[in-house]
Amino acid sequence: MTFQAPKGVPEYLPPRSAAFLAVRAAFAGAATAAGYSYIEVPVFEDTELFARGVGESTDVVTKEMYTFADRGGRSVTLRPEFTASVLRATLEHGLHTGQLPVKLWTAGPAFRYERPQAGRYRQLQQFDLEAIGTEDPAVDAETVAIAWAGYQALGLTRVRLLLNTLGCRQCRPAYRAALQDFLRGLDLDAPTRERAEVNPLRVLDDKRPEVRAQVENAPLITDHLCASCKAHHDRVRSLLEDLGVPWEDTPRLVRGLDYYSRTTYEFDHPLLGAQSAIGGGGRYDGLSEDIGGPPLPGIGFAVGVDRIMLALEAEGLLAETPARVAVYGVPMGEEAARRLFAVVNELRRAGVAADMAFDGKGLKGAMKGAARSGAAYALILGERDLAAGAVQVKNLASGEQTAVPLAEIIPTLQERLAGAAMPAPGA
Ligand code: AMP
């Protein structure tokens, strides 16, 4: 019997998996540069946290959660997203009683029982960033700029930033009522009419053409904002302008999770087809109270690492196979293998990524391994070299080969590799 990975769960194998780590690293780098610290939160939580935190009427909570009873009879759920967990951990450990805002990032898998298709998975990978305990619109702009910097660092050039505001507890109820009035006058099917009563904003997000056409003239939140939401929104936009981050005002943009207020945004990639959202975020000023905490405004985003991988592929940025190591040992015989094993280990300690041929491979097989590894240099050690206390250093690009005394091999290679693109160990 053979096994396959569960349906809708992408795996990342070498050499592509190097790009997967690079995506995380690009966003982690941008977050770290802005003073965000790493937080590790559980993969599963009390089901109630997500029910309250994500919203009882959302698709995520009603249809998509991986919920089960553990052996102690507690209802637990695999995290469908990170924000609720990060906020729960912040409250539980009192991080919000220190310096504000609390700035955190995390990354890993989230789980949603969706219908799998290209770019939509049941185990999805996110990079998540949260700034908790601030109402300053500059932090809204900061989160947008960090995500933007992450995409830029990866070399993506086609990313679009869609920006909106959802108003606040002051102005949204009146807008909601106006939108509901409008939706009640439309010719909608029963489930959509029901949705219009429970969560009318979500109807604006309906992808079906017949619904889209009808909501074309729906009232817009941007025409119903209170003075402070309008000022907040204008400030975010002018700060983004100062930073040179381009955006598109998208007054119909809503998001699938209930907790958003004021600033909301999405990053979209035009080459990805139906699942084109490669990240999204926004403000969640009421979420802390929803999960039993004190008033504690916050803003954050999550980007989809799987979809960013697809975007990199679509822009032709995944084509090259990255080198695994810089140096590859090719031993001829048992004693040579023993000496090279020590040399390779020393290289690694000196910060030079190195590997070697194992299993007593012959010259031909070992050189094939060297080529496949992407190494810049092969170290060939035969019996005659051993007797002479030297090793042959072969430049695998030019074919040029020189004998270097074994005692000088580490500084010689460091020198030759300096300036050349050298993968760090584990990169
Ligand atoms: P959300 O947590 O729904 O705001 O999603 C944030 C980002 O995660 C989206 O913009 C997508 O890039 C990604 N994402 C959400 N759901 C999925 C999924 N089922 N499969 C792959 N990526 C997803």
Side-chain angles (χ1 to χ4, degrees):
M1 178 171 173
T2 57
F3 294 99
Q4 291 180 329
K7 198 168 165 227
V9 178
E11 297 181 286
Y12 296 95
L13 315 174
R16 252 177 133 238
S17 52
F20 179 90
L21 290 179
V23 171
R24 271 195 193 166
F27 288 91
T32 305
Y36 288 73
S37 305
Y38 182 71
I39 182 170
E40 176 73 28
V41 289
V43 168
F44 64 90
E45 298 260 12
D46 186 329
T47 299
E48 196 57 23
L49 173 69
F50 297 121
R52 290 218 233 146
V54 177
E56 305 269 13
S57 74
T58 59
D59 281 354
V60 168
V61 169
T62 54
K63 299 185 208 151
E64 297 173 1
M65 295 210 301
Y66 279 87
T67 298
F68 56 96
D70 72 7
R71 285 171 192 272
R74 301 168 199 87
S75 177
V76 295
T77 294
L78 300 182
R79 63 185 178 205
E81 55 109 52
F82 286 89
T83 306
S85 293
V86 172
L87 190 55
R88 194 265 313 133
T90 297
L91 296 171
E92 181 176 342
H93 303 289
L95 302 185
H96 62 298
T97 59
Q99 169 90 10
L100 294 178
V102 182
K103 291 176 152 194
L104 301 166
W105 71 269
T106 187
F111 305 85
R112 298 181 190 176
Y113 195 79
E114 301 203 72
R115 207 152 49 84
Q117 51 181 282
R120 180 187 281 172
Y121 308 117
R122 289 180 174 167
Q123 177 173 313
L124 52 128
Q125 296 280 347
Q126 289 187 336
F127 174 95
D128 181 270
L129 176 139
E130 312 289 349
I132 297 164
T134 174
E135 276 191 296
D136 193 330
V139 182
D140 301 34
E142 176 176 284
T143 64
V144 173
I146 291 168
W148 189 255
Y151 296 121
Q152 300 279 103
L154 292 167
L156 291 168
T157 57
R158 303 287 303 272
V159 181
R160 296 189 316 154
L161 164 59
L162 313 177
L163 185 67
N164 193 22
T165 173
L166 292 179
C168 64
R169 289 187 175 174
Q170 303 301 315
C171 52
R172 191 151 37 158
Y175 169 64
R176 196 175 180 274
L179 180 60
Q180 259 169 345
D181 272 352
F182 172 86
L183 294 174
R184 283 183 194 127
L186 301 181
D187 177 24
L188 301 169
D189 57 67
T192 313
R193 275 209 307 276
E194 205 170 296
R195 179 175 294 169
E197 295 309 315
V198 182
N199 199 333
L201 269 71
R202 201 66 52 67
V203 181
L204 294 180
D205 198 29
D206 201 306
K207 300 287 185 286
R208 292 170 298 175
E210 64 275 21
V211 179
R212 284 205 149 187
Q214 290 196 71
V215 299
E216 186 108 316
N217 296 317
L220 297 178
I221 179 70
T222 32
D223 296 327
H224 288 77
L225 294 176
C226 62
S228 75
C229 280
K230 185 169 183 331
H232 188 99
H233 192 47
D234 289 345
R235 182 77 174 177
V236 172
R237 290 154 85 242
S238 73
L239 290 169
L240 288 176
E241 199 169 337
D242 291 350
L243 299 186
V245 176
W247 77 91
E248 290 168 37
D249 285 317
T250 319
R252 272 194 188 75
L253 177 74
V254 301
R255 313 230 334 110
L257 314 178
D258 261 358
Y259 48 60
Y260 287 106
S261 56
R262 291 197 165 173
T263 308
T264 29
Y265 52 91
E266 208 156 276
F267 296 96
D268 186 83
H269 198 282
L271 303 181
L272 291 194
Q275 309 302 324
S276 65
I278 57 172
R283 206 159 246 296
Y284 43 82
D285 291 347
L287 179 57
S288 173
E289 289 131 293
D290 289 346
I291 63 168
L296 196 62
I299 178 150
F301 69 75
V303 299
V305 176
D306 310 279
R307 290 189 195 166
I308 294 170
M309 291 287 286
L310 297 174
L312 287 168
E313 197 162 27
E315 287 201 33
L317 296 165
L318 271 191
E320 273 182 54
T321 300
R324 277 198 302 119
V325 290
V327 176
Y328 195 91
V330 175
M332 301 289 99
E334 226 169 279
E335 182 54 21
R338 186 175 155 200
R339 289 299 294 274
L340 262 188
F341 188 68
V343 169
V344 160
N345 205 55
E346 224 179 302
L347 279 168
R348 293 170 181 169
R349 287 196 351 212
V352 176
D355 195 6
M356 64 182 286
F358 293 106
D359 292 307
K361 282 203 181 63
L363 182 65
K364 206 168 145 208
M367 287 306 289
K368 209 182 263 178
R372 287 209 181 121
S373 76
Y377 292 98
L379 300 185
I380 306 164
L381 190 61
E383 293 201 350
R384 224 177 307 149
D385 302 313
L386 263 180
V391 59
Q392 303 292 325
V393 177
K394 181 167 185 166
N395 181 322
L396 290 170
S398 69
E400 182 198 337
Q401 188 169 313
T402 49
V404 174
L406 265 170
E408 291 166 25
I409 190 67
I410 307 291
T412 304
L413 280 170
Q414 278 179 317
E415 196 175 305
R416 291 201 192 174
L417 287 164
M422 183 184 7

